Amino acid sequence: MKAVILTAGEGTRMRPLTTTRPKTMLITGGKPLIQYNIEALRDAGIKDITLVVGYKREVIEEYFEDGSKFGVNINYAVQDGQLGTAHAIGSAEEFIDESFIVLNGDIIVSYDLIRNLIEKYATRKSNDVKSVLTLIEVDNPSNYGIVSMENDQIKKIIEKPSADEAPSNLANAGIYLFDTIIFDAIRKTELSSRGEYEITDSLDIELNEGCEILGLISQEPWMDVGRPWELLSSNHDFLEVMEESIEGEIEDGVTIHGPLHLGKNSIIRSGCYIQGPVFIGDDCDIGPNTYLRPYTCLCNDVNVGNAVEIKNSIIMDHTNVNHLSYVGDSVIGVDCNLGAGTNLANLRFDDKHVKVSVKGERVDSGLRKLGAIFGDGVKTGINTSFNPGVKIGNGTLINAGCVVYNDVDSNCLVSANTNLIIKQLNDKNE
């Protein structure tokens, strides 16, 4: 059994975090998203993996190389143009000579789901079974590809049916096991009305040619990480089950409650108070007198200064959070520098849900608490403040004393338009 992971997309809903990397390389729980699927496949016994790459492919290839550091063998197939799931799967054909699993790199699945999928295929009663689809029960079928199924055999797949036309509430989860015959169906697949080669159209071709497709109704957990606050949600879930590991140095006078991962060559200085679960990567310098609250994830080479408080946030490599700053429920990119007294607010005055701009539209995050989203290379001056849900683009500089209410594009300089009034004091002797 082999596997294909689709990781060619841009992830525009995650901007500005994906301006410099594919969405699947965003960090959650101390690892890139895609690494969890690679490890799940490995643990299920599948070690021959093809990554279908495209956008910013070099970031993925430089990190994983040939896969040997992760206990697998990785090949890279390049998808030229974003032409749909069938087109992406077809790009991997040269590396596939047996049955294979297909996963999306940004949908994180468990080891158990993969094993169940393999077992479903292994116990098929007919050689005519050529594909297995993972299905999930949904409340609103009109948002999904819905299947018509008898026993465990899929008879039809209907894309986003109306409520009265939906044959069931079982939706295609986008996790597949295919025989190599799927490549023949992909070659016969025509462009859809969306201008893409849809894998559901390829599956319809299989059905029309007499192939059998099985449905596996999954009860196993999986995560679809598509928007910035969902990155924080997945980070919460991974740190919740994190095992404690201390490889760095903890000075005297540090208080720790709950699980902590402390990486190599990292130091936590005296006076720090840590409420786990907290993840601290390699080469980090924390404190003194820093307060790290639950579900904080500090990646590698992160420096956190004196009297800083961080809560439920992801802070990526080579970033500094200087003294007297507060970071709440936020995602901070690589190579950022937060000047002393920077505050990332996470709660609206009216206590309503925080809204975020996603692809030009204001979207309700469904969260009462959500801070800022910083791209890479953002620098803030002293005593700057950011309202909940604000997004700051790559390389933007925020001058001292600014209060930022709105999103700011990449490579901007933001300054406060204030006038100082200076009056000469009267001489007390006059």
Side-chain angles (χ1 to χ4, degrees):
M1 187 74 68
K2 295 185 177 182
V4 171
I5 302 179
L6 309 181
T7 180
E10 293 188 31
T12 53
R13 291 186 299 168
M14 281 287 194
R15 293 287 173 88
L17 299 172
T18 52
T19 305
T20 54
R21 61 182 69 80
K23 177 170 65 172
T24 57
M25 289 301 291
L26 292 173
I27 303 299
T28 182
K31 301 177 186 177
L33 287 167
I34 194 174
Q35 185 173 334
Y36 290 99
N37 280 346
I38 289 173
E39 292 175 350
L41 288 165
R42 178 198 64 199
D43 295 344
I46 300 175
K47 298 185 178 182
D48 198 336
I49 300 171
T50 297
L51 303 184
V52 178
V53 295
Y55 176 74
K56 303 291 184 183
R57 55 181 283 198
E58 67 280 359
V59 177
I60 298 173
E61 293 173 3
E62 289 173 7
Y63 184 86
F64 288 105
E65 299 177 331
D66 64 359
S68 56
K69 291 187 294 186
F70 302 89
V72 296
N73 173 53
I74 293 179
N75 296 304
Y76 297 93
V78 179
Q79 183 186 17
D80 293 322
Q82 303 299 302
L83 295 175
T85 304
H87 181 260
I89 296 169
S91 302
E93 183 175 7
E94 65 176 295
F95 300 108
I96 304 298
D97 55 8
E98 59 181 295
S99 299
F100 63 105
I101 286 175
V102 174
L103 305 174
N104 285 301
D106 58 350
I107 297 178
I108 304 173
V109 303
S110 68
Y111 157 86
D112 290 327
L113 190 154
I114 293 170
R115 290 301 308 170
N116 292 343
L117 198 58
I118 294 170
E119 290 171 5
K120 184 74 172 182
Y121 186 70
T123 57
R124 65 194 188 280
K125 298 177 182 179
S126 168
N127 290 330
D128 292 330
V129 173
K130 301 301 182 183
S131 301
V132 183
L133 272 63
T134 304
L135 307 174
I136 56 170
E137 296 181 350
V138 296
D139 295 328
N140 187 1
S142 60
N143 291 334
Y144 302 89
I146 301 298
V147 303
S148 171
M149 191 165 67
E150 294 180 7
N151 295 322
D152 62 352
Q153 290 194 21
I154 293 174
K155 299 301 181 181
K156 193 173 183 180
I157 305 172
I158 304 172
E159 279 297 325
K160 298 181 178 179
S162 61
D164 56 346
E165 293 178 342
S168 70
N169 68 336
L170 296 175
N172 175 15
I175 303 164
Y176 310 96
L177 194 157
F178 292 128
D179 183 275
T180 56
I181 199 173
I182 192 65
F183 294 117
D184 294 331
I186 288 172
R187 279 186 284 273
K188 298 173 185 176
T189 301
E190 298 179 354
L191 277 173
S192 70
S193 59
R194 297 196 303 169
E196 296 184 350
Y197 297 98
E198 312 274 5
I199 193 62
T200 49
D201 291 342
S202 305
L203 290 166
D204 279 337
I205 291 172
E206 282 196 346
L207 289 172
N208 292 334
E209 291 181 351
C211 298
E212 294 183 15
I213 300 176
L214 300 182
L216 171 67
I217 302 174
S218 177
Q219 303 298 326
E220 299 298 333
W222 56 285
M223 303 178 197
D224 186 358
V225 183
R227 296 171 295 187
W229 57 89
E230 292 167 350
L231 200 64
L232 288 174
S233 177
S234 64
N235 182 71
H236 174 286
D237 291 346
F238 285 123
L239 294 192
E240 188 73 28
V241 296
M242 178 190 72
E243 294 184 2
E244 182 157 298
S245 174
I246 307 295
E247 298 181 83
E249 178 185 353
I250 302 174
E251 291 185 347
D252 293 339
V254 174
T255 300
I256 301 173
H257 296 285
L260 169 67
H261 172 92
L262 182 64
K264 298 176 181 177
N265 303 316
S266 290
I267 183 169
I268 303 176
R269 300 188 181 277
S270 182
C272 290
Y273 194 100
I274 297 176
Q275 289 180 292
V278 165
F279 181 97
I280 301 173
D282 299 338
D283 303 305
C284 295
D285 193 328
I286 312 301
N289 306 313
T290 290
Y291 181 20
L292 299 183
R293 294 170 62 181
Y295 309 108
T296 292
C297 175
L298 309 180
C299 296
N300 299 320
D301 190 29
V302 172
N303 294 317
V304 179
N306 176 57
V308 170
E309 180 177 348
I310 303 175
K311 167 190 176 278
N312 186 40
S313 295
I314 299 171
I315 299 179
M316 299 185 194
D317 295 352
H318 318 303
T319 286
N320 300 321
V321 184
N322 292 294
H323 51 282
L324 303 172
S325 295
Y326 173 74
V327 179
D329 301 275
S330 299
V331 181
I332 309 298
V334 170
D335 287 316
C336 293
N337 191 83
L338 277 61
T342 296
N343 285 287
L344 276 57
N346 60 349
L347 181 66
R348 289 170 49 133
F349 275 146
D350 59 12
D351 209 31
K352 292 183 179 179
H353 289 173
V354 176
K355 293 185 178 181
V356 182
S357 294
V358 178
K359 298 182 71 173
E361 296 184 6
R362 296 294 287 172
V363 177
D364 185 345
S365 69
L367 300 173
R368 285 181 59 250
K369 292 189 176 183
L370 178 63
I373 312 298
F374 282 11
D376 295 348
V378 174
K379 291 179 171 49
T380 71
I382 62 169
N383 298 324
T384 52
S385 298
F386 297 82
N387 267 21
V390 163
K391 298 167 73 174
I392 308 297
N394 290 31
T396 283
L397 309 179
I398 313 292
N399 245 328
C402 290
V403 179
V404 181
Y405 296 92
N406 301 310
D407 293 356
V408 182
D409 290 336
S410 295
N411 302 312
C412 292
L413 173 62
V414 179
S415 298
N417 185 14
T418 59
N419 295 314
L420 296 179
I421 300 174
I422 302 176
K423 293 183 177 181
Q424 184 69 50
L425 295 175
N426 293 329
D427 192 315
K428 291 182 179 179
N429 293 325
E430 291 184 1

